[in-house]
Amino acid sequence: MSEQRITWTSRIGFVLASAGAAVGLGAIWKFPYMAGTNGGSVFLFPYVLLTFTVGLVLLIAEVALGRAGKGGIVTSYRRLAGSGFVPMGYVGVLTGFLVLCFYSAIGGWTISYFCEALVGRGLISDQSQLGAHFAEFTADPVMAMGFQWLFLLLNGLIVAFDVTKGIERVSKILMPLLFVMMLVLIVRGLMLPGAWAGVEYLFKFDPDAFTFSALLQAMGFTFFSLCVGCGCMMTYGSYLKDDTDLPRSCLWIAFLGVIASLMGGLMIMPSVFAFGLDPTAGPGLTFITMPAVFAQLPFGQIFAAIFYLCLIVAAITSSVSMIEILVSFLVDEKGYGRPKAAVVSTIALAIVGALPCLSFGILADTTFFGGKTFFDIFDFLTSNISLPVGGLVILYLAGVKCWPVVKANIAGTAVRPAGWYTRLRFMICVLAPILVAAVLVSGLL
């Protein structure tokens, strides 16, 4: 019931598309504020270590399952593990759907702020005014939903083409562009007097500042930043050629994800410290604090436009991977053509996505479970429950139930050192599940 499975045209195409999924708003929006609220380097160093160990192992396991199953998460689970695991595949599809429902609202914010930067609006040095401006925009249902729909439309147009003409082609253009624009902003920020304090905040390790909470936050962000647990990388892996070196490709994805996060921190923290602003501003760091920085910079309008264009690019390269989960499911399981699947997915996301989008306006007082809005609920269910649970299922399938076929897909034509697979399987079956379970338990407490 599926179309002929196409493959990425090159390894670099797969790596850039997957790195785009891993980078996303996490690197520019989430990493700086999480580092800011968790002690800077105290958060950064565990994140880097966990990414190149447990995170990389989970990434390899998910991509290997996708290449072995030659389908999205539901199809791959059915082919590799039997019908008993199909419900967990549906959970993965639902997770990707719910994540994109609230993620698209943030994507809409980035487009709005980019448009404002182009016309010179929003560059205000008073953070209280910026906070009021942000609250006014997110509370306006027409503006907030309008930009959310525009963001979803861009995603739908990209995935309507096959992965080589849509996602791969766009990633090859947008990912290099993203890194160039980030470098421009980093260089400009480091030229400011007092900017080095922001660099020290990120990289000068202070053992006395270490907290268990920061470690747990770093664990959670590792899985979020690599986009593992919901089937996104499994879907991308299903388009991977059989002769592609899977571990090396995944290592490149993890490396680019970490580099992007570090660049995101360097893009924001030096400027925040240079102007004496609060690095612990939380989620509002990007949309409330940074406009105050640009308002005080020479040619601030230009740098603001570049900054928010970076956010748009990062958001799109990540969100197309999530909508691809839905499109692949409809194509593989329901027999839809890709354009029809893209249209159906986009419309469904626009309808359900209105709930988290309006959580800052007319639905702000509609709360559940101790004061959680729809936005909070969607975020909590995915980040704290379904993504860690999905990660545990992937690790079980890769390391236990489907290990022979996973090992064969990881091996390919490469020659590995003696004991390499034993150590890898130990990490998949023992170390990674312990840490993922820790993230799951801490997220529920």
Side-chain angles (χ1 to χ4, degrees):
M1 292 184 62
S2 66
E3 63 181 12
Q4 182 65 36
R5 205 71 181 173
I6 60 174
T7 58
W8 306 103
T9 60
S10 62
R11 188 179 76 170
I12 189 64
F14 163 69
V15 169
L16 287 177
S18 301
V23 171
L25 284 176
I28 304 177
W29 170 64
K30 194 166 188 176
F31 175 81
Y33 88 71
M34 290 198 71
T37 54
N38 288 283
S41 61
V42 176
F43 173 86
L44 186 151
F45 288 121
Y47 156 66
V48 174
L49 177 63
L50 289 166
T51 296
F52 287 114
T53 52
V54 178
L56 178 59
V57 165
L58 183 52
L59 179 62
I60 290 173
E62 183 165 337
V63 173
L65 286 171
R67 184 161 73 173
K70 297 298 181 186
I73 186 168
V74 174
T75 304
S76 292
Y77 279 4
R78 178 185 292 110
R79 290 174 176 171
L80 298 176
S83 59
F85 281 84
V86 167
M88 289 308 306
Y90 281 102
V91 170
V93 174
L94 180 61
T95 299
F97 178 81
L98 293 179
V99 168
L100 193 48
C101 280
F102 72 83
Y103 192 93
S104 58
I106 305 171
W109 301 348
T110 67
I111 298 177
S112 171
Y113 271 66
F114 172 68
C115 293
E116 288 196 340
L118 287 179
V119 298
R121 292 181 55 197
L123 299 183
I124 306 168
S125 57
D126 187 337
Q127 287 198 67
S128 63
Q129 293 183 39
L130 285 168
H133 175 71
F134 178 73
E136 181 182 354
F137 163 69
T138 55
D140 186 332
V142 175
M143 293 291 288
M145 290 181 62
F147 280 106
Q148 181 191 38
W149 292 349
L150 176 58
F151 181 78
L152 287 171
L153 177 61
L154 292 173
N155 281 271
L157 289 173
I158 293 172
V159 297
F161 298 93
D162 67 47
V163 292
T164 60
K165 296 177 182 177
I167 296 175
E168 183 175 0
R169 182 176 296 174
V170 168
S171 298
K172 284 181 176 179
I173 297 171
L174 294 187
M175 286 303 293
L177 175 64
L178 174 63
F179 282 105
V180 169
M181 291 190 296
M182 291 175 76
L183 278 173
V184 170
L185 293 171
I186 288 171
V187 171
R188 181 64 188 94
L190 291 175
M191 293 171 63
L192 297 171
W196 196 251
V199 178
E200 290 185 343
Y201 183 77
L202 282 174
F203 294 101
K204 188 176 181 180
F205 186 62
D206 181 8
D208 295 333
F210 176 81
T211 64
F212 187 64
S213 174
L215 177 62
L216 289 175
Q217 293 287 338
M219 287 184 194
F221 182 73
T222 296
F223 305 132
F224 179 89
S225 65
L226 289 177
C227 204
V228 290
C230 64
C232 163
M233 291 304 183
M234 196 177 301
T235 303
Y236 275 16
S238 71
Y239 302 121
L240 195 60
K241 293 180 180 178
D242 292 335
D243 59 352
T244 301
D245 189 327
L246 192 152
R248 181 177 297 180
S249 298
C250 290
L251 181 61
W252 271 107
I253 295 167
F255 174 76
L256 291 175
V258 167
I259 291 298
S261 292
L262 296 180
M263 291 176 70
L266 288 172
M267 194 168 64
I268 291 179
M269 284 303 172
S271 298
V272 169
F273 275 81
F275 289 106
L277 301 175
D278 184 9
T280 65
L285 187 65
T286 299
F287 295 100
I288 298 176
T289 301
M290 288 309 294
V293 170
F294 297 126
Q296 302 175 67
L297 280 177
F299 306 105
Q301 180 180 347
I302 295 175
F303 290 110
I306 295 174
F307 177 75
Y308 288 110
L309 183 58
C310 281
L311 284 178
I312 293 173
V313 170
I316 288 178
T317 58
S318 182
S319 56
V320 292
S321 68
M322 287 180 275
I323 197 172
E324 177 63 20
I325 299 174
L326 310 177
V327 171
S328 178
F329 166 73
L330 293 175
V331 170
D332 293 342
E333 295 292 318
K334 305 301 180 182
Y336 285 26
R338 178 166 280 269
K340 180 182 177 181
V343 171
V344 171
S345 299
T346 303
I347 293 175
L349 286 163
I351 294 172
V352 182
L355 296 176
C357 183
L358 297 176
S359 294
F360 300 87
I362 59 177
L363 295 181
D365 295 328
T366 304
T367 60
F368 309 88
F369 311 115
K372 285 184 170 60
T373 64
F374 281 109
F375 188 99
D376 298 328
I377 291 172
F378 282 32
D379 187 11
F380 178 82
L381 289 176
T382 55
S383 300
N384 295 53
I385 300 178
S386 61
L387 281 175
V389 169
L392 290 173
V393 173
I394 288 169
L395 290 169
Y396 169 73
L397 292 180
V400 180
K401 190 172 181 63
C402 307
W403 172 247
V405 68
V406 166
K407 180 181 177 181
N409 266 271
I410 294 173
T413 58
V415 177
R416 310 289 177 193
W420 190 88
Y421 291 103
T422 301
R423 292 190 293 272
L424 176 65
R425 193 178 188 189
F426 173 79
M427 292 189 70
I428 292 176
C429 294
V430 180
L431 184 58
I434 291 174
L435 294 179
V436 174
V439 172
L440 174 62
V441 172
S442 66
L444 296 175
L445 296 179

